[in-house]
Amino acid sequence: MNKKFFAYIEYDKESEVYVGYIPSVNGAHTQADTLEELNEKLKEVLDLCLEEMNNDDINSIPEFIKIEEIEYIWVSLS
């Protein structure tokens, strides 16, 4: 299978680790100390998740279209 997956990556300041997940695949999430390690671990967890899926599950994975940035300005009413 040749399919691209996109991961959402954040840095958790409190625990000082990178956290990543692949929104289109249930259970595909992990964390690591470096981005390089996170990339490797995301590939491993993706492989494990896909091994547990049947062909119908894999074919029903949504197609990635784009990421849209939404800016929200919080205005306090008090």
Side-chain angles (χ1 to χ4, degrees), residues 9-20 32-35:
I9 298 171
E10 298 176 335
Y11 183 72
D12 185 335
K13 293 178 185 177
E14 187 176 316
S15 60
E16 299 181 339
V17 296
Y18 292 94
V19 179
D33 293 329
T34 66
L35 288 172

Side-chain angles (χ1 to χ4, degrees), residues 32-55:
D33 293 329
T34 66
L35 288 172
E36 294 79 16
E37 183 185 8
L38 184 67
N39 190 344
E40 290 176 25
K41 291 175 98 176
L42 279 169
K43 288 177 183 179
E44 291 173 6
V45 75
L46 177 61
D47 190 45
L48 291 171
C49 289
L50 292 175
E51 282 180 5
E52 294 296 317
M53 294 178 159
N54 61 38
N55 284 338

Side-chain angles (χ1 to χ4, degrees), residues 1-2 6 13 19 25-26 31 50-52 55 70:
M1 171 179 61
N2 188 12
F6 295 85
K13 293 178 185 177
V19 179
V25 179
N26 289 335
Q31 65 184 40
L50 292 175
E51 282 180 5
E52 294 296 317
N55 284 338
I70 308 296

Side-chain angles (χ1 to χ4, degrees), residues 58-77:
I58 292 172
N59 290 331
S60 71
I61 293 173
E63 177 186 354
F64 175 80
I65 302 299
K66 69 176 189 170
I67 292 175
E68 186 82 23
E69 181 177 346
I70 308 296
E71 183 176 357
Y72 181 82
I73 300 172
W74 182 262
V75 178
S76 177
L77 299 176

